[in-house]
Amino acid sequence: MASGSSSKASIAPSPSFQYTIRSRAGSQGFRFQPTSEPNNSLDGAPFPESSLFEYSRDGSLIANVNPANITITKTENNEVLWVFERKLVQAVCFSPLSSYLVSWERLHIENNENKDNLIVWDLQTGQPLSKFTQKILNSEIWPPLRWTDDEMLCGRLVQNEIQIFATNKIGSAVRKVKCPDVIGFEWAPSTAPYKIAVFSPEKKSSPARLQIFKYPEVGAAVASKSFYKAEEATLLWNSQSTAVIVQTSTHVDKSGKSYYGDSGLWFIHADGSFAENIILRKEGPIQDVKWSPLGTQFIVTYGFMPPQSTLFDLKAQPILDFGENPRNTIRWSPNGKLVCLGGFGNLQGSMDFWDVAKTAKIGYAEAHCAAVCEWSPDSRYFLTAVVSPRVRVDNGYKIFKYDGSKVFESAVSDLYQIEWRPVKASVFPDRPLSPPKSVPSASPASSSKASSP
């Protein structure tokens, strides 16, 4: 063995990652360092008067919006790529491969100032690729233009149909998916053959309907399921594009048991071979449902307080119960190995961290009044934040390790937004977890071991 060498293989350090905060002072990027010391701000001045920011999916770009313009910046070196002079923009979104940016501003049709208020910007040329008139916008229909993951196709919801465009010819439909009363659609996260799930709500005596079409033969659905008690729906594809969960809701619970309306879950295979209601063993509303990033399992938190959390397989069969606790939020780590079950909003901010494969709770923490919560890209840290205007005092953020120990905390006056810069989970080494410590519990009833249903 050569002098000075070691017989123990060295572990390459994890790539660094970043986050951005937006406050009254503007938006500013920071370089994360898991210590109690202040995190270093990135080079470059903050963006003053920032009304929102948005990362691209791969984290290579960030869009900062202020009342006068949109600034597109490269995150690696803070180089300004483009500045688009548009006033009072209220929403922006990148395409999956960061080739395009969609922006929307409130329509002022009485003055005919911005008839084309929905714009697709080409980030190669810095010029508008296409423009539309979009009168209203809400979270259910944002973004109004949705691409396949490879950006070969783009869809837009209009009355009674989904228009499908070739990306370089947005505005001229190459196919139309005809669906009366359609209010939502989602592309499966895969390349060709492309699949698209389309939802139409119940109307009078007609049931709601979920249909799956395969492009380019969109004249007939390859899978379809009808059901009632579904005025709205969220469509959740797994990462393998083999199944979709339909989370339905109504505005009013006719049984009178819930003030917030009724809810339900349906599970449909993309080829139509299986379509069933997901049977939940506790009565009450569905608090949250999330697929594992691996696409083979999903968790549902459901029922009246305290809710039940259950892990299901690809046949929609329960395989693990996490017990009953005041939890309403599910967050899988990007590598799919860990999950945080949290109780936020009007709950106390309790968080249980689970090693799913070992069915063991490995950590517990509390983040009172937090409204933001998300894993770091390397799946080892968990961010929570108290933001304004939901809570106007004690704004700031905390970063915990996966075992629940707090590694960083910062108070930020008038904190409005905070997000990790996206990085692919595969970039980070697959490091083993440290041996678990004794896990504190918020209540004696909280178990540190999941059970078979």
Side-chain angles (χ1 to χ4, degrees):
M1 183 178 295
S3 175
S5 63
S6 172
S7 60
K8 184 178 180 180
S10 61
I11 299 176
S14 295
S16 63
F17 42 95
Q18 307 163 6
Y19 59 89
T20 294
I21 66 172
R22 180 173 63 86
S23 66
R24 184 181 294 274
S27 63
Q28 175 72 61
F30 289 84
R31 187 172 291 103
F32 175 66
Q33 48 193 39
T35 69
S36 59
E37 298 299 321
N39 283 251
N40 295 325
S41 60
L42 300 177
D43 295 335
F47 287 89
E49 299 183 27
S50 176
S51 57
L52 68 96
F53 68 83
E54 181 80 10
Y55 278 111
S56 61
R57 183 184 294 186
D58 63 0
S60 64
L61 301 174
I62 186 171
N64 273 283
V65 178
N66 66 31
N69 57 51
I70 309 167
T71 302
I72 310 298
T73 307
K74 296 181 180 180
T75 54
E76 282 297 332
N77 55 16
N78 278 309
E79 177 188 348
V80 174
L81 183 64
W82 301 109
V83 177
F84 302 136
E85 303 294 339
R86 298 296 299 188
K87 295 181 179 180
L88 302 178
V89 170
Q90 297 191 354
V92 294
C93 180
F94 286 94
S95 62
L97 300 180
S98 310
S99 302
Y100 308 97
L101 181 84
V102 179
S103 68
W104 182 85
E105 58 215 51
R106 191 174 300 280
L107 186 65
H108 299 287
I109 199 165
E110 63 276 4
N111 299 324
N112 200 28
E113 293 178 357
N114 61 342
K115 179 181 178 181
D116 298 324
N117 63 323
L118 179 69
I119 303 176
V120 181
W121 301 89
D122 187 332
L123 296 183
Q124 297 298 314
T125 66
Q127 298 298 314
L129 178 68
S130 189
K131 298 181 180 181
F132 302 90
T133 299
Q134 183 88 24
K135 292 184 179 180
I136 60 172
L137 197 67
N138 54 47
S139 58
E140 286 76 22
I141 62 173
W142 179 259
L145 290 157
R146 302 181 185 186
W147 278 265
T148 54
D149 276 1
D150 59 6
E151 294 186 352
M152 295 301 293
L153 298 174
C154 180
R156 183 181 183 228
L157 171 65
V158 296
Q159 187 174 11
N160 296 323
E161 67 183 27
I162 308 296
Q163 296 179 346
I164 299 177
F165 312 114
T167 293
N168 59 347
K169 294 183 179 179
I170 294 178
S172 179
V174 294
R175 292 288 190 280
K176 295 180 180 180
V177 182
K178 301 286 186 179
C179 293
D181 304 313
V182 57
I183 63 170
F185 74 98
E186 290 289 346
W187 291 104
S190 62
T191 54
Y194 306 104
K195 288 170 280 192
I196 184 171
V198 179
F199 173 76
S200 300
E202 63 179 295
K203 190 174 184 180
K204 297 180 180 180
S205 60
S206 300
R209 195 177 186 191
L210 186 283
Q211 299 178 86
I212 298 176
F213 298 87
K214 185 180 291 187
Y215 184 88
E217 285 77 30
V218 296
V222 296
S224 180
K225 183 66 178 179
S226 298
F227 36 80
Y228 287 95
K229 297 183 179 180
E231 296 172 345
E232 297 177 349
T234 301
L235 311 181
L236 304 169
W237 282 98
N238 67 340
S239 59
Q240 300 175 348
S241 302
T242 57
V244 63
I245 295 172
V246 185
Q247 182 180 357
T248 63
S249 62
T250 61
H251 301 298
V252 177
D253 182 359
K254 295 182 180 179
S255 69
K257 295 180 180 179
S258 174
Y259 175 79
Y260 299 101
D262 202 358
S263 57
L265 277 183
W266 294 84
F267 186 88
I268 301 169
H269 281 181
D271 60 3
S273 62
F274 182 86
E276 294 293 339
N277 184 23
I278 299 176
I279 304 301
L280 303 175
R281 296 194 306 272
K282 186 171 183 177
E283 193 175 19
I286 295 166
Q287 308 288 343
D288 199 5
V289 54
K290 289 289 191 302
W291 279 104
S292 160
L294 305 179
T296 56
Q297 299 172 328
F298 62 93
I299 295 176
V300 185
T301 298
Y302 57 95
F304 295 110
M305 288 291 163
Q308 174 84 32
S309 295
T310 302
L311 179 71
F312 292 82
D313 62 16
L314 269 178
K315 296 181 179 179
Q317 295 300 307
I319 52 179
L320 283 174
D321 277 336
F322 296 94
E324 294 185 356
N325 287 289
R327 309 289 184 264
N328 58 7
T329 303
I330 303 163
R331 291 291 184 270
W332 286 91
S333 62
N335 63 12
K337 295 184 177 182
L338 307 178
V339 70
C340 175
L341 302 178
F344 300 104
N346 59 351
L347 300 179
Q348 294 299 310
S350 300
M351 300 176 289
D352 297 324
F353 296 92
W354 290 84
D355 183 327
V356 179
K358 295 181 179 178
T359 66
K361 186 163 71 173
I362 58 174
Y364 172 83
E366 293 183 353
H368 298 293
C369 298
V372 175
C373 59
E374 201 57 67
W375 286 94
S376 61
D378 68 345
S379 300
R380 299 184 74 84
Y381 300 95
F382 196 77
L383 169 75
T384 67
V386 179
V387 294
S388 185
R390 185 183 182 277
V391 178
R392 295 189 179 275
V393 296
D394 300 326
N395 284 184
Y397 61 99
K398 301 176 182 178
I399 300 177
F400 300 87
K401 199 176 178 182
Y402 58 80
D403 61 3
S405 59
K406 185 171 61 178
V407 299
F408 186 73
E409 181 175 6
S410 179
V412 181
S413 297
D414 298 312
L415 176 62
Y416 304 127
Q417 184 182 1
I418 180 169
E419 293 181 19
W420 294 107
R421 174 194 168 192
V423 181
K424 288 184 179 180
S426 58
V427 169
F428 297 93
D430 187 10
R431 298 163 57 192
L433 302 180
S434 302
K437 304 180 298 184
S438 175
V439 180
S441 172
S443 67
S446 180
S447 172
S448 61
K449 197 75 176 176
S451 60
S452 299

